[in-house]
């Protein structure tokens, strides 16, 4: 019997695999987004704030994978031992969806990156890899029997006996779950990062008093901002303060190990650009999650006359306001506000942010 792993998944699990940024926001709701944005503005880590969402998605997919395997066994008693062969056959096909590829990779204990590194994206190497995977699984099962004894039991689904519990069942199930977990966590890291970068940056600039120009083109040329403009290089946001002065922003939830990536991205920003009939001096503000103790990003930023702000600092929105004040006499209550009042101010101000503006941008 020829089975399709993807078709054995239920519709809800399939939708979780294929979730986009827009679907993600629809699923969690804008008020949850507002709470997470406030967390980040107050110095909390985005990963901490979104971990419960990741864990929920993972738990749902983990259980759906168990159900998928049990459905396969219902149709073919040899399904577990045949899964690697089924996965190999699927991965040799062309024009697979991302979800179809993921599931087949997981059945072979692979992730997308592992597939690139181990197979070098060469389908002709699949058969050799699959044989090694089966052999490793077989010898691991033999070792488990020797070390722990036979694993016996029966698995019921809807009061009907579906499968026999065995070490073979467990080794393939856990191999699949492990690869699935790595893939989903990597996917969520990118998905949440790209999604919330715009929400956080848009909310920050609106709180600082800038009006959002959703067309991406300034009309007032004063106290105005837009997201993802392009000049010599793409920036995440551009804000015009007035009188020929503005700032370009680059934001990234980048770990302390590779913050220089963000600096490289903005290091070619033009210091002066033309908007309307005027030439504008543009400051550069680089916003990163955290700077490592040995990082030289601040010194490098000085070479391009830029400023670096860490989101891990509890009062970083105030630091942004102070940088703009120093650079171009920007005025805002946050500039001289006592720090003990900043969190309460942000908690109140976030309620007036129109997140739907940035949902369209996402």
């Amino acid at each position: 019997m020829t089975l399709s792993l993807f078709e054995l998944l239920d519709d809800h699990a399939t939708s979780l695999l294929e979730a986009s940024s827009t679907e993600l926001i629809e699923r969690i709701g804008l008020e949850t987004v507002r709470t997470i944005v406030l967390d980040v503005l107050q110095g909390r880590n985005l990963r901490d704030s979104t971990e419960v969402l990741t864990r929920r998605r993972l738990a749902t997919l983990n259980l759906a994978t168990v159900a998928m395997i049990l459905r396969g066994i219902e149709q073919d008693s040899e399904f577990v031992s045949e899964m690697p062969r089924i996965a190999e056959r699927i991965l040799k096909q062309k024009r697979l969806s991302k979800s179809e590829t993921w599931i087949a990779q997981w059945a072979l204990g692979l992730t997308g990156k592992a597939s690139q590194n181990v197979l070098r994206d060469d389908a002709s190497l699949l058969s050799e890899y699959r044989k090694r995977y089966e052999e490793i699984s077989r010898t691991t099962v033999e070792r488990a029997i020797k070390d722990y004894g036979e694993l016996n039991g029966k698995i019921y689904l809807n009061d009907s006996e579906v499968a026999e519990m065995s070490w073979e069942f467990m080794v393939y199930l856990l191999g699949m779950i492990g690869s699935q977990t790595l893939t989903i966590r990597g996917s969520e890291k990118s998905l949440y990062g790209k999604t919330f970068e715009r929400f956080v940056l848009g909310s920050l600039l609106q709180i600082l008093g800038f009006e959002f120009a959703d067309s991406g083109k300034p009309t007032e040329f004063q106290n105005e901002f837009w997201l993802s403009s392009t000049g010599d290089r793409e920036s995440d946001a551009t804000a015009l303060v007035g009188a020929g002065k503005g700032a370009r922003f680059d934001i990234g939830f980048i770990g302390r190990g590779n913050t220089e990536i963000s600096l490289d991205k903005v290091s070619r920003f033009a210091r002066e650009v033309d908007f309307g009939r005027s030439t504008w001096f543009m400051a550069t503000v680089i916003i990163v999650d955290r700077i490592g103790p040995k990082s030289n990003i601040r010194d490098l930023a000085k070479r391009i006359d830029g400023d670096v702000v860490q989101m891990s600092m509890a009062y970083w929105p105030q630091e942004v306001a102070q940088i703009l004040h120093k650079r171009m006499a920007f005025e805002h209550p946050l500039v001289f506000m006592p720090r003990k009042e900043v969190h309460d101010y942000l908690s109140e101000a976030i309620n007036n942010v129109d997140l739907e503006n940035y949902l369209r941008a996402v």
Side-chain angles (χ1 to χ4, degrees):
M1 180 183 295
T2 302
L3 296 176
S4 168
L5 301 179
F6 183 72
E7 291 176 356
L8 291 171
L9 275 179
D10 61 73
D11 291 341
H12 180 53
T14 300
S15 68
L16 289 177
L17 285 175
E18 300 174 348
S20 64
S21 294
T22 303
E23 291 166 337
L24 165 70
I25 300 306
E26 289 176 349
R27 191 165 72 240
I28 66 177
L30 281 178
E31 288 314 304
T32 299
V33 171
R34 194 181 305 276
T35 299
I36 293 173
V37 170
L38 178 60
D39 284 347
V40 175
L41 291 176
Q42 294 180 337
R44 298 185 183 92
N45 190 294
L46 176 67
R47 309 291 173 232
D48 293 340
S49 299
T50 58
E51 174 59 25
V52 64
L53 306 177
T54 301
R55 188 62 255 172
R56 184 183 302 149
R57 184 185 183 194
L58 266 177
T60 301
L61 286 172
N62 290 167
L63 296 182
T65 300
V66 176
M68 181 202 78
I69 293 176
L70 295 180
R71 290 192 188 105
I73 295 173
E74 285 183 309
Q75 298 183 42
D76 181 353
S77 61
E78 301 299 318
F79 176 74
V80 170
S81 59
E82 287 296 315
M83 267 203 311
R85 290 181 180 273
I86 296 171
E88 177 192 345
R89 172 180 56 78
I90 292 170
L91 289 174
K92 286 182 176 179
Q93 297 174 10
K94 296 181 179 179
R95 297 181 181 178
L96 293 173
S97 69
K98 179 183 71 174
S99 297
E100 290 172 318
T101 301
W102 276 1
I103 295 168
Q105 288 174 340
W106 299 340
L108 287 167
L110 292 169
T111 62
K113 183 168 289 188
S115 181
Q116 293 172 11
N117 294 336
V118 176
L119 303 179
R120 299 177 182 175
D121 293 322
D122 186 348
S124 66
L125 300 177
L126 269 169
S127 293
E128 180 183 349
Y129 172 81
R130 187 262 304 165
K131 292 175 183 177
R132 291 202 312 270
Y133 184 68
E134 290 175 324
E135 177 63 17
I136 291 171
S137 299
R138 184 184 63 77
T139 57
T140 302
V141 167
E142 291 175 353
R143 182 71 187 186
I145 293 172
K146 181 179 179 180
D147 290 345
Y148 312 119
E150 292 282 355
L151 180 64
N152 296 305
K154 298 183 184 298
I155 302 175
Y156 291 81
L157 189 64
N158 292 325
D159 297 327
S160 298
E161 181 183 333
V162 177
E164 295 281 344
M165 178 68 72
S166 67
W167 288 119
E168 181 186 48
F169 177 90
M170 294 302 296
V171 79
Y172 283 120
L173 169 65
L174 295 177
M176 195 168 187
I177 294 296
S179 296
Q180 180 183 82
T181 299
L182 289 173
T183 299
I184 295 302
R185 283 202 173 277
S187 172
E188 295 249 309
K189 181 179 180 181
S190 174
L191 181 64
Y192 285 131
K194 291 178 180 177
T195 300
F196 280 95
E197 281 174 5
R198 293 189 174 213
F199 280 116
V200 170
L201 192 50
S203 297
L204 169 68
L205 292 174
Q206 188 174 335
I207 288 172
L208 290 179
F210 293 95
E211 293 290 332
F212 180 55
D214 59 0
S215 65
K217 297 180 180 179
T219 56
E220 301 298 326
F221 297 96
Q222 180 174 315
N223 294 330
E224 200 168 10
F225 81 95
W226 60 95
L227 300 173
S228 294
S229 67
T230 54
D232 291 347
R233 292 288 296 268
E234 184 178 359
S235 63
D236 293 320
T238 301
L240 303 182
V241 175
K245 296 180 180 180
R248 279 188 168 142
F249 295 85
D250 179 77
I251 185 171
F253 296 98
I254 300 172
R256 59 189 173 90
N258 56 353
T259 46
E260 282 73 12
I261 294 174
S262 185
L263 178 65
D264 177 69
K265 178 181 176 183
V266 300
S267 60
R268 299 181 187 178
F269 282 175
R271 292 291 307 282
E272 295 182 349
V273 295
D274 293 327
F275 292 121
R277 299 178 179 178
S278 303
T279 299
W280 294 67
F281 163 79
M282 302 300 292
T284 296
V285 181
I286 306 162
I287 304 173
V288 296
D289 185 53
R290 180 184 174 195
I291 300 175
K294 297 181 180 180
S295 175
N296 63 344
I297 189 173
R298 289 193 185 279
D299 293 334
L300 293 172
K302 288 179 181 178
R303 298 180 189 176
I304 60 170
D305 198 26
D307 292 279
V308 182
V309 177
Q310 297 184 79
M311 286 183 281
S312 59
M313 305 301 288
Y315 305 97
W316 70 269
Q318 183 179 51
E319 185 179 353
V320 172
Q322 291 169 343
I323 288 170
L324 296 180
H325 175 75
K326 177 184 69 175
R327 293 275 183 181
M328 52 201 68
F330 173 74
E331 295 184 3
H332 190 271
L334 276 174
V335 174
F336 298 108
M337 184 177 293
R339 283 198 165 180
K340 64 181 181 180
E341 299 177 11
V342 171
H343 278 194
D344 287 343
Y345 180 87
L346 294 174
S347 297
E348 184 66 28
I350 193 66
N351 293 322
N352 297 320
V353 171
D354 186 357
L355 292 175
E356 290 190 1
N357 284 335
Y358 316 123
L359 178 61
R360 289 192 293 271
V362 169

